């Protein structure tokens, strides 16, 4: 199983890359990593620390810059 710190790093990298490419939002879906439902809150908190807002939509995370 992938460590939580690596999952957080991957999510932040994905969101930052999309943001720098001009995308106003990123959708992180359940297939992005195992145990998504268990770690979704941890990922949302970490993204918030990096200046992103998250919204849960049908179990997936919609991420925007605030």
């Amino acid at each position: 199983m992938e460590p939580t710190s690596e999952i957080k790093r991957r999510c932040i990298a994905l969101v930052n890359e999309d943001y720098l490419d001009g995308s106003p939002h990123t959708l992180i879906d359940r297939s992005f990593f195992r145990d998504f439902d268990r770690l979704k809150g941890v990922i949302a908190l970490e993204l918030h620390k990096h200046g992103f807002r998250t919204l849960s939509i049908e179990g997936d995370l919609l991420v925007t810059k605030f």
Side-chain angles (χ1 to χ4, degrees), residues 3-54:
T4 303
S5 59
E6 179 61 21
I7 293 169
K8 289 193 278 187
R9 187 198 63 72
R10 284 181 41 219
C11 289
I12 292 166
L14 172 69
V15 172
N16 276 326
E17 182 179 308
D18 285 355
Y19 181 72
L20 291 174
D21 286 343
S23 178
H25 63 272
T26 301
L27 183 67
I28 301 175
D29 65 31
R30 287 177 234 143
S31 66
F32 192 67
F33 57 88
R34 299 179 89 185
D35 296 328
F36 183 83
D37 291 325
R38 182 176 67 84
L39 295 174
K40 183 169 53 173
V42 173
I43 300 303
L45 179 61
E46 189 67 23
L47 288 165
H48 181 77
K49 290 177 185 176
H50 287 267
F52 293 96
R53 179 172 291 149
T54 60

